[in-house]
Amino acid sequence: MSNFSTLRRRVLGDSSSEPSRAPSPSLAPKDGEPVTLISSSKLQKLSKRRSKRRQWLVFGLGGLFGIIVAAFFAQQHDVINLEGLMDINLDSLLDAIPAGIVNDARDITRHERETVNYDSFSVGLHLQSQGVKARHPVIMIPGVISTGLESWGTEEISRQYFRKRLWGSWSMMRALIMDKASWKKHIMLDKLTGLDPPGIKLRAAQGFDAADFFITGYWIWSKILENLATLGYDPSNAFTAAYDWRLSCEKLELRDHYFTRLKAHIETGVQTSGEKVVLVSHSMGSQVLFYFLHWVEAQGHGGGGSKWVDTFVDSWINISGSMLGALKGYPAVLSGEMKDTAQLNAFAVYGLEKFLAKHERVEIFRAMPGASSMLPIGGNAVWGNKTFAPDDHANQTVSYGTFINFKESNSSQSPANLTVDESHLYLMEHSDTWYQDQVKSTYSYGVAHSRAEVEKNAKDPRKWMNPLETRLPLAPHLKIYCFYGVGKPTERSYWYREDRDPTSQLNVTIDTSLTLGEIDHGVIMGEGDGTVPLLSNGYMCARGWRINRYNPAGVKIKVYEMPHEPDRFSPRGGPNTGDHVDILGRASLNDLILRVAGGKGNHIEENYVSNIREYAEKVKIYEDT
């Protein structure tokens, strides 16, 4: 690997001295210098100068990278001799690359680093100059990708991984590549108990390190932490409530006492500061927090009673919350696929299947009960029927309401086109008994159409993750802020076919050969943030929690949508991205979070840029009659 390190240093410059978790460069102003945010237009002007030269660079270096990737996937099939490739003198190869391309590589890499670090600390510094400072204690509940999982097992199989992250680090990559079987044993939960397999012990990493970076260089919460720090936040008044997202909420409390500890952190924050806390959740973390708001009230569980939330919680900042699930979670547990795999070319698919086959991915996803919380909630009432969906467009040829489609419908494996309700039944019918029992005993995906149903469900933990079957807390002073991105194509429905591959262990697969009109390799895209559909991000905030039975205390809800306007030269989208994960580094989102934490949330005005209110009115859920 030293040859590749040499190539990287010569082309991109020596970065070996950079610390693995170094914060983004400080933009602290000099004395007398005004504090301003960097505009996206300025970044775009900086980016456009070298657009043509960048295309040639990408073409040239892409070709070289393609050869290396091809060698990696083909090494076991004698297509390319990998050992011969490794013997190439990369210094000589670099000397053969035109000097202009090498210089462009250095310039573009430098620009991308500047773009990634576009506003470190400056959002907080700007608000600090306006008199905003730390007020409410802040507790953050991350999403799936955000929380690292590390091994604490001491059995022989686990000793080599002790205190190493098997999710969310380069240790994960190394284990997955070098010892896939062992990695699978560690990452999968016991199929019957939903807890640790015998001899295995994986736990969520704790502290800010648990969620600031996914792997070295790929930030998650770090920019929010940087900006919070400028207002005066530190470990004494800010806390990351990381959790093992593989577990169901019931098992999170049973094994890790997660909700008991979260309750204690909130109460301690109020006692030490004299102020109610602000809860900040992202993605699946919003579903986990919604469950907690029921658990903490319920007798026999948190035992806080109906006034606990109003006493201890000032605001809930719901960032890109998958309140009604993520549609891409369905093909993940049905066939181990999603858009990212369906749209790979044939060669890449071949390599992926040899490395981690679809049936293996299905087994892994199903053996993580927490992942099944992401299956779509609300059924046909939200997602549509065979002829209609609330978010259909006028010129669509096929309604989004048929969620799973079959070009050939002639067997039990490929029946007629299926709605979301029918797709759920289909998944249960074609799953192992252990997975059926796990889902049915843990989750509920329906709709409560009356106040009586909602009140009854307050005593049923299976319903506590579903905002369409339960209510918000009886906390009239609580404020909820829904911040999410819009305008990035997001998976909405799929075309499937029978899997006739004799080596496959699955019944069906996405029909990647089908590309026609809105269908791209068997996937139809709709509106959302690239991961979570708009209806899931926005329905409860724009309409659902305005229905009395779901919000009897009149909790105030504010929606602030952020359009996806990425810097095309930034690998993470820049300061105006609306991407599901990258939005955590968005300048305007950081500004909004800091205003709420600093007690200035009342000045935030709602901002709608999508058609969510129009779609929400078409959802077939109504006030009690």
Side-chain angles (χ1 to χ4, degrees):
M1 293 302 291
S2 60
N3 280 340
F4 289 97
S5 298
T6 301
L7 178 63
R8 184 186 68 246
R9 287 195 298 269
R10 288 194 60 187
V11 175
L12 305 181
D14 187 1
S15 61
S16 60
S17 62
E18 294 180 9
S20 62
R21 288 186 176 271
S24 303
S26 173
L27 298 181
K30 299 177 181 178
D31 291 341
E33 182 182 356
V35 179
T36 58
L37 290 174
I38 299 173
S39 69
S40 60
S41 60
K42 181 178 179 181
L43 288 172
Q44 290 170 357
K45 289 177 182 178
L46 290 172
S47 303
K48 291 178 180 177
R49 297 176 187 172
R50 302 183 180 89
S51 60
K52 291 184 179 179
R53 289 195 297 168
R54 178 186 172 89
Q55 292 173 7
W56 282 105
L57 170 67
V58 172
F59 178 79
L61 295 185
L64 174 61
F65 180 71
I67 293 173
I68 296 171
V69 171
F72 175 78
F73 284 122
Q75 58 180 310
Q76 297 181 0
H77 301 274
D78 297 325
V79 177
I80 296 175
N81 188 323
L82 185 63
E83 293 181 0
L85 180 67
M86 295 301 290
D87 289 337
I88 292 176
N89 186 325
L90 292 179
D91 284 336
S92 300
L93 180 62
L94 183 61
D95 290 337
I97 299 175
I101 290 182
V102 175
N103 291 334
D104 279 354
R106 293 193 180 108
D107 290 345
I108 289 173
T109 302
R110 188 180 306 112
H111 164 68
E112 287 186 343
R113 287 174 181 166
E114 291 171 356
T115 305
V116 169
N117 298 326
Y118 47 83
D119 65 348
S120 304
F121 302 106
S122 64
V123 174
L125 291 168
H126 176 68
L127 290 177
Q128 184 188 73
S129 70
Q130 297 181 353
V132 180
K133 57 184 179 180
R135 177 177 173 182
H136 299 283
V138 172
I139 295 180
M140 293 161 278
I141 300 94
V144 172
I145 192 176
S146 309
T147 302
L149 302 176
E150 59 187 27
S151 176
W152 281 82
T154 58
E155 298 290 332
E156 185 175 355
I157 190 176
S158 300
R159 289 171 192 165
Q160 62 178 319
Y161 301 127
F162 186 72
R163 294 293 317 280
K164 293 181 180 179
R165 292 193 186 183
L166 293 182
W167 179 267
S169 73
W170 289 112
S171 297
M172 171 189 74
M173 304 296 188
R174 190 180 305 113
L176 181 57
I177 293 171
M178 304 301 294
D179 192 358
K180 182 180 71 173
S182 178
W183 181 82
K184 282 181 59 181
K185 287 180 180 178
H186 281 80
I187 206 71
M188 292 170 57
L189 294 169
D190 185 279
K191 294 175 181 178
L192 297 181
T193 67
L195 295 167
D196 297 311
I200 303 294
K201 189 175 184 181
L202 243 62
R203 295 294 182 267
Q206 297 299 313
F208 296 134
D209 281 354
D212 57 350
F213 286 82
F214 178 63
I215 56 177
T216 303
Y218 190 93
W219 50 261
I220 304 291
W221 287 80
S222 67
K223 291 188 178 297
I224 292 175
L225 294 174
E226 288 170 358
N227 284 303
L228 283 170
T230 63
L231 296 191
Y233 284 96
D234 57 40
S236 69
N237 56 1
F239 174 74
T240 299
Y243 58 95
D244 187 342
W245 43 266
R246 301 172 304 154
L247 293 167
S248 68
C249 284
E250 176 192 8
K251 299 299 170 63
L252 263 178
E253 177 61 19
L254 177 66
R255 193 195 74 177
D256 298 345
H257 310 292
Y258 175 76
F259 298 112
T260 296
R261 292 187 294 113
L262 179 56
K263 178 174 181 274
H265 280 298
I266 292 171
E267 292 174 344
T268 300
V270 173
Q271 291 166 4
T272 57
S273 69
E275 296 281 357
K276 297 182 185 180
V277 304
V278 168
L279 302 174
V280 186
S281 62
H282 174 244
S283 189
M284 178 183 167
S286 295
Q287 293 178 286
V288 172
L289 178 54
F290 190 69
Y291 182 99
F292 169 77
L293 295 177
H294 294 86
W295 176 91
V296 76
E297 289 184 347
Q299 295 301 315
H301 296 275
S306 61
K307 295 182 179 180
W308 188 93
V309 174
D310 213 31
T311 301
F312 291 99
V313 182
D314 177 82
S315 303
W316 169 19
I317 300 176
N318 170 22
I319 305 170
S320 304
S322 50
M323 300 310 302
L324 300 183
L327 296 175
K328 68 189 300 178
Y330 180 89
V333 294
L334 177 65
S335 59
E337 302 169 288
M338 55 190 70
K339 174 182 73 70
D340 308 279
T341 59
Q343 294 181 356
L344 291 173
N345 61 43
F347 184 74
V349 168
Y350 174 80
L352 179 61
E353 289 300 307
K354 286 294 181 182
F355 182 65
L356 199 64
K358 284 183 289 189
H359 73 271
E360 292 182 287
R361 303 197 297 267
V362 167
E363 183 184 24
I364 291 171
F365 287 136
R366 292 182 183 179
M368 297 176 174
S372 294
S373 70
M374 302 292 283
L375 293 176
I377 291 171
N380 294 3
V382 172
W383 302 104
N385 54 37
K386 290 184 183 294
T387 60
F388 161 84
D391 52 339
D392 280 344
H393 297 288
N395 298 323
Q396 274 183 230
T397 56
V398 178
S399 171
Y400 290 141
T402 51
F403 176 50
I404 300 296
N405 302 275
F406 293 93
K407 189 166 60 174
E408 298 178 3
S409 304
N410 52 16
S411 74
S412 62
Q413 306 300 336
S414 56
N417 297 340
L418 306 174
T419 64
V420 163
D421 277 339
E422 293 167 338
S423 297
H424 183 77
L425 294 174
Y426 180 84
L427 174 63
M428 293 295 100
E429 291 169 0
H430 293 82
S431 300
D432 294 321
T433 302
W434 65 265
Y435 180 68
Q436 296 179 37
D437 293 343
Q438 176 193 109
V439 171
K440 292 176 182 177
S441 64
T442 305
Y443 301 112
S444 179
Y445 304 98
V447 178
H449 291 282
S450 70
R451 182 186 293 270
E453 289 179 83
V454 168
E455 293 305 319
K456 179 181 178 181
N457 291 340
K459 300 178 181 179
D460 185 352
R462 293 183 307 117
K463 315 281 188 178
W464 288 353
M465 258 193 170
N466 185 345
L468 292 174
E469 292 189 299
T470 54
R471 58 166 173 77
L472 286 172
L474 300 176
H477 300 100
L478 174 67
K479 299 174 284 292
I480 298 178
Y481 299 90
C482 298
F483 302 148
Y484 56 90
V486 298
K488 187 173 184 180
T490 305
E491 292 166 62
R492 186 59 178 84
S493 59
Y494 305 87
W495 283 82
Y496 267 77
R497 62 172 175 80
E498 286 193 51
D499 193 347
R500 299 185 178 91
D501 183 348
T503 65
S504 175
Q505 300 181 30
L506 300 176
N507 298 318
V508 293
T509 184
I510 292 177
D511 189 353
T512 58
S513 67
L514 186 57
T515 297
L516 179 67
E518 303 109 343
I519 308 169
D520 184 4
H521 292 82
V523 181
I524 299 178
M525 307 298 282
E527 298 176 68
D529 63 10
T531 297
V532 177
L534 178 59
L535 282 171
S536 181
N537 270 330
Y539 173 75
M540 293 308 303
C541 304
R543 169 66 181 162
W545 284 326
R546 323 242 176 185
I547 295 174
N548 187 262
R549 66 177 175 274
Y550 299 132
N551 185 6
V555 173
K556 295 178 178 62
I557 317 289
K558 284 188 177 181
V559 175
Y560 198 100
E561 294 184 333
M562 287 162 270
H564 182 56
E565 298 171 338
D567 180 334
R568 60 187 179 135
F569 285 97
S570 170
R572 302 292 300 277
N576 293 305
T577 179
D579 176 80
H580 182 70
V581 174
D582 294 342
I583 197 172
L584 293 173
R586 183 183 176 115
S588 57
L589 175 67
N590 276 251
D591 180 272
L592 293 168
I593 293 171
L594 266 59
R595 290 183 187 277
V596 175
K600 306 294 184 182
N602 57 308
H603 298 304
I604 296 173
E605 299 292 336
E606 287 199 307
N607 183 56
Y608 288 94
V609 296
S610 75
N611 294 321
I612 184 59
R613 288 176 292 185
E614 174 188 336
Y615 300 156
E617 289 296 329
K618 297 177 183 178
V619 169
K620 298 184 182 300
I621 299 175
Y622 311 104
E623 286 279 8
D624 292 44
T625 56

